[in-house]
């Protein structure tokens, strides 16, 4: 329902979901629009209360609104974003620091008072042009941040170690990588147009799953676009045509 969505002019990526832990709502950004779904009533609700250039909810459930280059949290914290860093794409709060990931591949780390602590670039300017599209960041069991970036050059999977302040490229792909989730044992699951991957970034071990055998005998070989690990260790796979699989 277009009457229920609000505009996010600074968001240029594909679907990005956020859970509102306090109010039981699920927010989705998608190509410049913000949608809200009330999990208690299982109905779409209005996102018109949000008036901003972009919208984020961090790992601790705090909502942030972007107005031009000023990012303000619901608790009144303010971050000033350098113009040269590009579009803000992901925001993670951890251990009294705020990690801001930008479309240029730059990471800026702020302290809890909003002051810049340091910045780090994932790659050079040429790679930045290739992977300037959608971003997704998760924090692994080892304390590292894992980021999938996509763009005109395909996709790249990156790791950032905040203790060493170092980036590492784990994998590149000529086509898109979709979503990413981390396991409590240090592994990662990643979806691609050809299926999904299970990999361990520390050992380099990797398995590729190109087909799923469903209970009715159907074999699904394409269309997997989402992966999520629940609290009980179950793996959920979202698809374009076959619904949600467990």
């Amino acid at each position: 329902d277009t009457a229920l969505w609000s505009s996010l002019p600074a968001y240029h990526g594909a679907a990005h979901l956020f859970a509102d832990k306090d109010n039981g709502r699920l927010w989705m950004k998608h190509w410049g629009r913000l949608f809200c779904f009330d999990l208690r009533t299982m109905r779409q609700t209005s996102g018109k209360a949000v008036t901003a250039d972009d919208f984020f909810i961090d790992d601790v459930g705090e909502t942030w609104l972007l107005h031009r280059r000023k990012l303000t949290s619901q608790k009144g914290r303010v971050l000033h974003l350098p113009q040269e860093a590009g579009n803000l794409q992901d925001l993670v709060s951890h251990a009294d620091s705020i990690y801001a990931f930008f479309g240029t591949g730059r990471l800026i780390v702020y302290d809890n008072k909003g002051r810049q602590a340091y910045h780090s670039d994932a790659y050079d300017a040429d790679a930045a042009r290739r992977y300037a599209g959608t971003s997704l960041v998760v924090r692994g069991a080892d304390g590292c941040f894992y980021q999938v970036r996509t763009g005109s050059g395909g996709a790249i999977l990156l790791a950032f170690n905040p203790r060493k302040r170092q980036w590492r490229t784990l994998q590149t792909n000529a086509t898109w990588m979709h979503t990413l989730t981390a396991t409590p044992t240090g592994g990662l699951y990643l979806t691609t147009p050809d299926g999904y991957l299970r990999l361990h970034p520390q050992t380099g071990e990797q398995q590729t799953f190109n087909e799923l055998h469903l209970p009715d005998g159907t074999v699904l070989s394409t269309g997997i676009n989402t992966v999520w690990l629940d609290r009980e260790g179950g793996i959920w796979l979202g698809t374009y045509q076959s619904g949600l699989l467990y």
Side-chain angles (χ1 to χ4, degrees):
D1 186 346
T2 57
L4 297 178
W5 59 259
S6 58
S7 175
L8 293 179
Y11 185 67
H12 309 295
H16 199 146
L17 294 175
F18 300 95
D20 184 333
K21 298 178 182 178
D22 295 330
N23 299 305
R25 294 176 296 188
L26 189 67
W27 297 85
M28 182 180 75
K29 302 193 301 186
H30 190 255
W31 303 119
R33 297 178 178 181
L34 179 67
F35 305 84
C36 185
F37 189 79
D38 192 319
L39 296 174
R40 295 166 299 188
T41 63
M42 299 303 290
R43 293 179 180 274
Q44 186 180 348
T45 186
S46 178
K48 290 292 187 181
V50 175
T51 304
D53 294 329
D54 208 344
F55 170 95
F56 301 87
I57 297 179
D58 64 21
D59 288 37
V60 297
E62 189 169 355
T63 300
W64 297 76
L65 299 180
L66 179 68
H67 295 90
R68 296 188 179 179
R69 306 302 296 178
K70 181 181 178 181
L71 187 67
T72 306
S73 80
Q74 66 190 76
K75 295 181 180 179
R77 293 192 289 174
V78 176
L79 305 182
H80 294 281
L81 311 181
Q83 188 69 37
E84 67 273 13
N87 286 341
L88 178 66
Q89 292 185 321
D90 277 291
L91 196 71
V92 179
S93 293
H94 177 68
D96 295 328
S97 293
I98 304 163
Y99 296 80
F101 296 82
F102 293 85
T104 57
R106 173 160 292 190
L107 165 65
I108 299 180
V109 181
Y110 296 84
D111 65 20
N112 58 8
K113 294 183 179 179
R115 298 172 299 201
Q116 287 192 38
Y118 67 92
H119 73 266
S120 181
D121 294 313
Y123 34 56
D124 60 22
D126 182 59
R129 287 188 289 270
R130 294 199 307 271
Y131 304 120
T134 301
S135 165
L136 176 65
V137 176
V138 301
R139 186 168 178 270
D142 57 0
C144 292
F145 294 101
Y146 295 95
Q147 181 181 34
V148 169
R149 300 193 55 83
T150 59
S152 61
I156 188 169
L157 176 61
L158 301 162
F160 178 75
N161 187 322
R163 295 182 297 275
K164 297 180 179 180
R165 300 185 182 182
Q166 291 179 348
W167 288 94
R168 190 160 53 104
T169 298
L170 301 180
Q171 192 171 88
T172 58
N173 195 325
T175 58
W176 279 38
M177 299 175 185
H178 297 302
T179 55
L180 175 71
T181 190
T183 74
T185 57
L188 300 173
Y189 282 91
L190 175 72
T191 56
T192 75
D194 298 320
Y196 70 97
L197 309 178
R198 181 172 63 199
L199 56 98
H200 199 291
Q202 302 303 324
T203 65
E205 179 186 0
Q206 178 178 308
Q207 288 179 282
T208 302
F209 300 88
N210 299 116
E211 294 182 341
L212 289 176
H213 294 263
L214 306 186
D216 64 358
T218 303
V219 177
L220 181 67
S221 59
T222 60
I224 301 169
N225 58 18
T226 306
V227 60
W228 186 258
L229 192 77
D230 65 25
R231 294 179 181 179
E232 296 178 351
I235 301 169
W236 296 82
L237 295 170
T239 68
Y240 287 114
Q241 303 292 338
S242 302
L244 187 64
L245 308 174
Y246 180 75

